[in-house]
Amino acid sequence: MVARPPLRSVVLFPPAVISDDEFVHNILSDYSQEIVLKMETAQLEADERSPLLNAEPGSGSTLVKTLQENRSRWRSIRVMYLTMFFSSLGFSIVVSSIWPFLQKVDKTADASFLGWIIAVYSLGQMVASVMFGAWSNYRPRREPLVVSILINVAANILYGYAHAPPSHNKYYMLLARTFVGFGAGNVAVVRSYVAGATSLQERNSAMANISACQALGFVLGPALQTAMIGIGQTGVSWKMIDFELNMYTAPAFLGALLGIVNIIFIIAIFRIATPLTMDMYAWTGEEAVLYNGILLVGIGVESIVVFMTTKILSKRFEERQLLLGGFVLIFISFFILLPWGNQYPPIQWTEIKNGSNYSSAGIKNHNPSMDIWNFLIRPSLRLNAVGCPVQQVWCQYVPIIHLAQYIVSAILLGVGYPVCNVISYTLYSKVLGPKPQGVYMGWLTASGSGARTLGPAFVGQVYPREGPRWTFGPICTVMMATIILVGLMYKRLIGFSVRQ
């Protein structure tokens, strides 16, 4: 037996009398642990720099190894940016004009039906998101993308021809918006591809760019709709094929054209805002399209700035902190929309002349001088019935939402929503870890679409009957519950690599 003194450089174990074999074994064990530790560290660093998914399903491609392949990867990612931009543009380009167009093509449509037309977009997207997401996991992503955009193109053309049928025109609009939403289900494919084609280091930036492109589509959509007001409600027509190009149909046809352009690129490489403002501020259909369009453009520009800022903030703060802060801002934005004070909405002049539907409380609290002033000063009131319909009894006792409230709420929502949008997808992707995410992204997109389906349907039924107080109050409750839930799950909202 030989007594070995402890090493001076590294103390592996206390001095003791051990055999030569044990001494060698301890040294090798120590170095092997150090090597394993270095290998694990190197692997984690490689995971940070490497894309999650090694290959495009069905394409036979290998992990990105060369500069040429890396350039090809980023070209594909940028095409996904373009696809997201066109998808959001196709939604927002008509959103501010749906209500006046619906009233034009079908006089039987009311605000409740408008809620369904807004809701079916998200319903179609919810159903399609899971389908397209699963499709992209087993087949090249080009297939579901092209098919979804073709559906979107056909749906926009149907929307542009909603005036043509002799009756039940509102149902054709409903069907068109359903399939526009179904085509928008490709958002899950876009996000799953970007999540798989980027490394952890790249993902925050790429997801923020995706959301920025989405916001840019929301910006340019209302801007293009506003620019098309000059075409007028009549526009030009070609009776042989029942074609009408006016301020309502032109955006839909433009959306169809952009969808075709998107397909070429892929192959080659608030929703109650309009009726709310028409009720509260006695805006005509054209004024509502113009003013809401300007507001949406402003919010969109703000959202793009927030998306870009989020990339910087995510390097200084944890994603879960930003997510919680975004939800708080959204809660505040809806809380501001609750009506307060003693000023009431202007009532439609055509109904005031009847006067038989007024309650004593409505007569006591209503300020008729506002209606008379609007009627005398604004000539449009003499041509169109504007203001809050007297059939909506709440107009007589629920205070007005002041324009300042409306704008401040929109500004806060323009900050909170982009932050939550970017961080939720990024954090969700990191929590899932290194696995194909098409189906999972589909479910996440579908859950959001489900909320956007139930939301407009709820608003469409509640707003005409109960007014903004019972419309925005439950939304505040839901947002508060969301904040509490995020707080309870806060410690578990960490990435897969951190958990391991």
Side-chain angles (χ1 to χ4, degrees), residues 54-175:
N54 294 341
E56 169 83 306
S59 65
S61 60
T62 58
L63 182 65
V64 176
K65 296 179 181 178
T66 66
L67 180 61
Q68 181 178 2
E69 290 171 333
N70 191 54
R71 289 175 178 171
S72 176
R73 174 172 68 99
W74 277 102
R75 280 198 299 268
S76 298
I77 291 173
R78 292 184 182 104
V79 171
M80 294 300 98
Y81 293 165
L82 185 66
T83 301
M84 181 64 81
F85 167 74
F86 284 154
S87 177
S88 63
L89 182 69
F91 167 76
S92 65
I93 199 171
V94 300
V95 70
S96 62
S97 64
I98 288 179
W99 177 233
F101 185 45
L102 178 63
Q103 292 179 310
K104 179 183 178 182
V105 300
D106 197 326
K107 300 298 183 183
T108 65
D110 55 14
S112 297
F113 196 83
L114 172 67
W116 289 112
I117 286 186
I118 300 297
V120 292
Y121 174 92
S122 297
L123 178 62
Q125 188 180 45
M126 178 180 66
V127 174
S129 294
V130 179
M131 294 174 56
F132 289 141
W135 189 350
S136 70
N137 272 3
Y138 300 101
R139 296 289 299 171
R141 291 180 176 85
R142 181 181 299 175
E143 294 179 6
L145 286 173
V146 171
V147 170
S148 63
I149 297 171
L150 283 174
I151 293 173
N152 194 282
V153 169
N156 274 302
I157 294 175
L158 176 61
Y159 182 91
Y161 273 88
H163 66 277
S167 61
H168 301 96
N169 303 75
K170 62 183 181 181
Y171 295 109
Y172 288 95
M173 281 189 65
L174 185 73
L175 185 64

Side-chain angles (χ1 to χ4, degrees), residues 161-491:
Y161 273 88
H163 66 277
S167 61
H168 301 96
N169 303 75
K170 62 183 181 181
Y171 295 109
Y172 288 95
M173 281 189 65
L174 185 73
L175 185 64
R177 291 303 293 173
T178 301
F179 281 105
V180 169
F182 195 89
N186 59 22
V187 170
V189 182
V190 171
R191 292 192 184 276
S192 68
Y193 176 80
V194 173
T198 54
S199 66
L200 291 176
Q201 291 178 344
E202 299 168 333
R203 194 157 315 133
N204 273 336
S205 178
M207 286 295 188
N209 290 340
I210 280 283
S211 298
C213 291
Q214 187 178 31
L216 184 61
F218 283 120
V219 171
L220 294 184
L224 290 173
Q225 170 69 87
T226 302
M228 292 177 184
I229 291 179
I231 302 176
Q233 297 190 35
T234 303
V236 296
S237 61
W238 188 2
K239 293 186 178 180
M240 183 180 296
I241 58 173
D242 283 332
F243 178 78
E244 288 188 5
L245 187 69
N246 53 47
M247 61 178 286
Y248 302 128
T249 61
F253 289 126
L254 179 59
L257 177 61
L258 293 177
I260 295 173
V261 173
N262 195 6
I263 291 174
I264 294 174
F265 272 107
I266 290 174
I267 294 177
I269 6 186
F270 252 13
R271 316 269 191 286
I272 65 167
T274 303
L276 175 68
T277 52
M278 291 174 70
D279 289 347
M280 293 291 168
Y281 315 123
W283 290 350
T284 64
E286 291 184 353
E287 289 172 332
V289 172
L290 175 63
Y291 301 147
N292 282 305
I294 293 173
L295 182 62
L296 288 174
V297 169
I299 296 172
V301 172
E302 176 194 19
S303 298
I304 293 174
V305 174
V306 174
F307 282 132
M308 295 297 99
T309 306
T310 302
K311 294 195 294 185
I312 301 173
L313 293 176
S314 63
K315 297 178 181 178
R316 304 189 62 178
F317 301 95
E318 293 185 6
E319 283 98 344
R320 49 187 179 176
Q321 294 175 339
L322 295 175
L323 184 66
L324 189 60
F327 282 132
V328 170
L329 285 178
I330 295 175
F331 168 78
I332 295 173
S333 69
F334 281 106
F335 184 80
I336 290 175
L337 281 178
L338 295 177
W340 307 97
N342 56 6
Q343 184 178 348
Y344 299 90
I347 308 297
Q348 288 185 5
W349 179 261
T350 55
E351 300 295 343
I352 292 176
K353 290 191 296 185
N354 184 345
S356 59
N357 291 325
Y358 269 86
S359 65
S360 57
I363 294 174
K364 180 179 179 180
N365 297 323
H366 183 68
N367 183 7
S369 61
M370 178 66 70
D371 302 309
I372 297 173
W373 184 89
N374 281 330
F375 178 75
L376 294 175
I377 298 300
R378 297 176 59 191
S380 59
L381 282 175
R382 295 192 288 269
L383 301 176
N384 303 292
V386 296
C388 199
V390 75
Q391 293 89 347
Q392 297 178 174
V393 181
W394 59 265
C395 297
Q396 304 170 24
Y397 58 83
V398 174
I400 192 174
I401 297 175
H402 295 278
L403 187 59
Q405 289 178 262
Y406 183 63
I407 294 175
V408 171
S409 173
I411 292 173
L412 291 178
L413 191 62
V415 176
Y417 175 78
V419 171
C420 292
N421 185 281
V422 174
I423 298 302
S424 60
Y425 279 101
T426 304
L427 187 58
Y428 182 73
S429 173
K430 290 183 177 181
V431 169
L432 289 177
K435 63 178 67 174
Q437 299 185 358
V439 174
Y440 294 99
M441 283 292 178
W443 282 115
L444 180 60
T445 305
S447 63
S449 300
R452 291 191 297 272
T453 300
L454 296 176
F458 167 79
V459 170
Q461 298 301 313
V462 174
Y463 174 76
R465 293 172 173 81
E466 304 296 337
R469 184 169 289 163
W470 283 98
T471 300
F472 300 121
I475 296 177
C476 291
T477 303
V478 171
M479 291 311 305
M480 179 56 69
T482 303
I483 293 170
I484 294 173
L485 182 61
V486 171
L488 293 175
M489 302 295 293
Y490 188 80
K491 293 183 178 180

